[in-house]
Amino acid sequence: MNIRSWTTDDLPQLVGLMTQLGYPAREDVLHERFSRVTRHPDYDLLVLEDDDILLGCVGLFQAQAFEHDTTYVRIVAFVVNAKHRRRGIGRHLIQAAEDWAHERGATAVLLNSGNRPEREAAHHFYQAMGYSVTSTSYSKSFTSS
């Protein structure tokens, strides 16, 4: 198994992973989106591959905290291929995210997870990885004009 930053060669498989995560998009759309995002040095999309098969990915960004003089890393996308779950792949990806954060001097890793019943297994996983529930998240969507 190998963890590395994404490349455009990964796009066909990333389409499937993002669909499993609940965010389907065409390959050309993902190419534009991921290229735009990861052009910024504080962003990355790490993939875990084995024999040229993507088993999962984790999207990350680092930001300056407003409330203190440290930075944090936020996991903004995290998915393990449904065919390969419960094999330790998620643990490897979370560890890679934490290593990425440590290398950049971040003092914390944050993530959000929906509070839908189908996310319950993910919540148990995050807690088993040492993450704790610390806040409630709110959002407001705007329509495009």
Short mmCIF file of all heavy atoms in Angstrom, two decimals, residues 42 61-68 70-75 100-101 105-110:
data_model
loop_
_atom_site.label_atom_id
_atom_site.label_comp_id
_atom_site.label_asym_id
_atom_site.label_seq_id
_atom_site.Cartn_x
_atom_site.Cartn_y
_atom_site.Cartn_z
N ASP A 42 -1.57 24.95 1.00
CA ASP A 42 -2.15 24.50 2.27
C ASP A 42 -3.23 23.45 2.08
O ASP A 42 -3.94 23.11 3.03
CB ASP A 42 -2.72 25.69 3.04
CG ASP A 42 -1.61 26.59 3.58
OD1 ASP A 42 -0.50 26.09 3.81
OD2 ASP A 42 -1.87 27.79 3.77
N PHE A 61 -6.89 20.53 4.45
CA PHE A 61 -6.34 21.89 4.34
C PHE A 61 -5.89 22.36 5.71
O PHE A 61 -6.40 21.93 6.74
CB PHE A 61 -7.31 22.89 3.70
CG PHE A 61 -8.44 23.37 4.57
CD1 PHE A 61 -8.25 24.39 5.49
CD2 PHE A 61 -9.70 22.82 4.44
CE1 PHE A 61 -9.30 24.85 6.27
CE2 PHE A 61 -10.74 23.27 5.22
CZ PHE A 61 -10.54 24.29 6.15
N GLN A 62 -4.89 23.24 5.70
CA GLN A 62 -4.35 23.83 6.92
C GLN A 62 -4.78 25.28 6.99
O GLN A 62 -4.80 25.98 5.97
CB GLN A 62 -2.83 23.74 6.93
CG GLN A 62 -2.21 24.32 8.20
CD GLN A 62 -0.70 24.16 8.23
OE1 GLN A 62 -0.08 23.84 7.23
NE2 GLN A 62 -0.12 24.39 9.38
N ALA A 63 -5.12 25.74 8.18
CA ALA A 63 -5.56 27.12 8.35
C ALA A 63 -5.05 27.69 9.67
O ALA A 63 -4.79 26.96 10.62
CB ALA A 63 -7.09 27.20 8.32
N GLN A 64 -4.94 29.00 9.69
CA GLN A 64 -4.58 29.73 10.89
C GLN A 64 -5.80 29.85 11.79
O GLN A 64 -6.87 30.23 11.32
CB GLN A 64 -4.06 31.13 10.54
CG GLN A 64 -3.84 32.05 11.71
CD GLN A 64 -2.78 31.54 12.67
OE1 GLN A 64 -1.68 31.23 12.24
NE2 GLN A 64 -3.10 31.46 13.94
N ALA A 65 -5.65 29.53 13.05
CA ALA A 65 -6.74 29.70 14.00
C ALA A 65 -6.91 31.19 14.31
O ALA A 65 -5.95 31.94 14.37
CB ALA A 65 -6.45 28.93 15.28
N PHE A 66 -8.15 31.60 14.50
CA PHE A 66 -8.43 32.97 14.91
C PHE A 66 -8.27 33.15 16.40
O PHE A 66 -7.89 34.21 16.88
CB PHE A 66 -9.87 33.36 14.52
CG PHE A 66 -10.00 33.87 13.13
CD1 PHE A 66 -10.23 33.00 12.09
CD2 PHE A 66 -9.88 35.22 12.84
CE1 PHE A 66 -10.34 33.45 10.79
CE2 PHE A 66 -9.99 35.68 11.56
CZ PHE A 66 -10.23 34.80 10.52
N GLU A 67 -8.56 32.10 17.15
CA GLU A 67 -8.62 32.22 18.61
C GLU A 67 -7.28 32.04 19.31
O GLU A 67 -7.16 32.29 20.51
CB GLU A 67 -9.67 31.25 19.17
CG GLU A 67 -9.39 29.78 18.92
CD GLU A 67 -9.83 29.24 17.58
OE1 GLU A 67 -10.00 30.02 16.60
OE2 GLU A 67 -9.98 28.03 17.50
N HIS A 68 -6.25 31.59 18.59
CA HIS A 68 -4.91 31.47 19.17
C HIS A 68 -3.88 31.45 18.05
O HIS A 68 -4.22 31.40 16.87
CB HIS A 68 -4.78 30.24 20.08
CG HIS A 68 -5.44 29.01 19.56
ND1 HIS A 68 -4.89 28.23 18.58
CD2 HIS A 68 -6.63 28.44 19.87
CE1 HIS A 68 -5.70 27.21 18.32
NE2 HIS A 68 -6.76 27.32 19.07
N THR A 70 -1.91 29.38 16.54
CA THR A 70 -1.52 28.08 16.02
C THR A 70 -2.31 27.81 14.74
O THR A 70 -3.24 28.54 14.41
CB THR A 70 -1.80 26.95 17.03
OG1 THR A 70 -3.20 26.92 17.30
CG2 THR A 70 -1.03 27.16 18.33
N THR A 71 -1.91 26.76 14.05
CA THR A 71 -2.67 26.33 12.89
C THR A 71 -3.30 24.97 13.18
O THR A 71 -2.87 24.25 14.08
CB THR A 71 -1.79 26.23 11.62
OG1 THR A 71 -0.81 25.23 11.82
CG2 THR A 71 -1.15 27.56 11.29
N TYR A 72 -4.31 24.66 12.40
CA TYR A 72 -4.97 23.36 12.50
C TYR A 72 -5.14 22.81 11.08
O TYR A 72 -5.05 23.56 10.11
CB TYR A 72 -6.33 23.48 13.20
CG TYR A 72 -7.32 24.34 12.47
CD1 TYR A 72 -8.18 23.79 11.51
CD2 TYR A 72 -7.40 25.71 12.71
CE1 TYR A 72 -9.09 24.59 10.82
CE2 TYR A 72 -8.30 26.50 12.03
CZ TYR A 72 -9.13 25.94 11.08
OH TYR A 72 -10.02 26.73 10.40
N VAL A 73 -5.40 21.54 11.00
CA VAL A 73 -5.71 20.90 9.72
C VAL A 73 -7.12 20.38 9.81
O VAL A 73 -7.53 19.81 10.82
CB VAL A 73 -4.71 19.76 9.40
CG1 VAL A 73 -5.21 18.87 8.28
CG2 VAL A 73 -3.34 20.35 9.05
N ARG A 74 -7.87 20.60 8.76
CA ARG A 74 -9.25 20.09 8.69
C ARG A 74 -9.32 19.02 7.60
O ARG A 74 -8.84 19.22 6.49
CB ARG A 74 -10.24 21.21 8.38
CG ARG A 74 -11.69 20.71 8.31
CD ARG A 74 -12.68 21.84 8.24
NE ARG A 74 -12.76 22.60 9.46
CZ ARG A 74 -13.48 22.25 10.54
NH1 ARG A 74 -14.13 21.10 10.55
NH2 ARG A 74 -13.52 23.02 11.58
N ILE A 75 -9.91 17.89 7.97
CA ILE A 75 -10.22 16.84 7.00
C ILE A 75 -11.56 17.23 6.38
O ILE A 75 -12.56 17.32 7.09
CB ILE A 75 -10.30 15.46 7.67
CG1 ILE A 75 -8.93 15.07 8.23
CG2 ILE A 75 -10.84 14.41 6.69
CD1 ILE A 75 -8.94 13.78 9.05
N TRP A 100 0.63 14.55 7.98
CA TRP A 100 0.64 15.76 7.16
C TRP A 100 0.50 17.00 8.05
O TRP A 100 1.20 18.00 7.87
CB TRP A 100 -0.50 15.66 6.15
CG TRP A 100 -0.53 16.63 5.03
CD1 TRP A 100 0.10 16.51 3.82
CD2 TRP A 100 -1.27 17.86 4.95
NE1 TRP A 100 -0.21 17.58 3.01
CE2 TRP A 100 -1.04 18.43 3.68
CE3 TRP A 100 -2.10 18.54 5.84
CZ2 TRP A 100 -1.60 19.63 3.27
CZ3 TRP A 100 -2.66 19.73 5.44
CH2 TRP A 100 -2.42 20.26 4.17
N ALA A 101 -0.39 16.92 9.04
CA ALA A 101 -0.59 18.03 9.97
C ALA A 101 0.65 18.28 10.82
O ALA A 101 1.08 19.42 10.99
CB ALA A 101 -1.80 17.74 10.86
N GLY A 105 3.36 21.62 11.39
CA GLY A 105 3.33 22.30 12.68
C GLY A 105 1.95 22.58 13.22
O GLY A 105 1.78 23.37 14.15
N ALA A 106 0.94 21.94 12.66
CA ALA A 106 -0.43 22.14 13.15
C ALA A 106 -0.58 21.52 14.55
O ALA A 106 0.10 20.54 14.87
CB ALA A 106 -1.44 21.51 12.19
N THR A 107 -1.46 22.08 15.33
CA THR A 107 -1.66 21.59 16.70
C THR A 107 -2.91 20.74 16.86
O THR A 107 -3.14 20.18 17.94
CB THR A 107 -1.72 22.76 17.69
OG1 THR A 107 -2.81 23.61 17.34
CG2 THR A 107 -0.42 23.55 17.70
N ALA A 108 -3.72 20.63 15.80
CA ALA A 108 -4.94 19.83 15.90
C ALA A 108 -5.40 19.42 14.51
O ALA A 108 -5.07 20.07 13.51
CB ALA A 108 -6.05 20.62 16.59
N VAL A 109 -6.16 18.34 14.46
CA VAL A 109 -6.84 17.91 13.25
C VAL A 109 -8.33 17.91 13.56
O VAL A 109 -8.76 17.34 14.58
CB VAL A 109 -6.39 16.52 12.77
CG1 VAL A 109 -7.21 16.06 11.57
CG2 VAL A 109 -4.91 16.51 12.45
N LEU A 110 -9.12 18.56 12.71
CA LEU A 110 -10.56 18.66 12.90
C LEU A 110 -11.28 18.00 11.74
O LEU A 110 -10.75 17.91 10.64
CB LEU A 110 -10.99 20.13 12.97
CG LEU A 110 -10.20 21.06 13.88
CD1 LEU A 110 -10.63 22.50 13.67
CD2 LEU A 110 -10.36 20.65 15.32
#
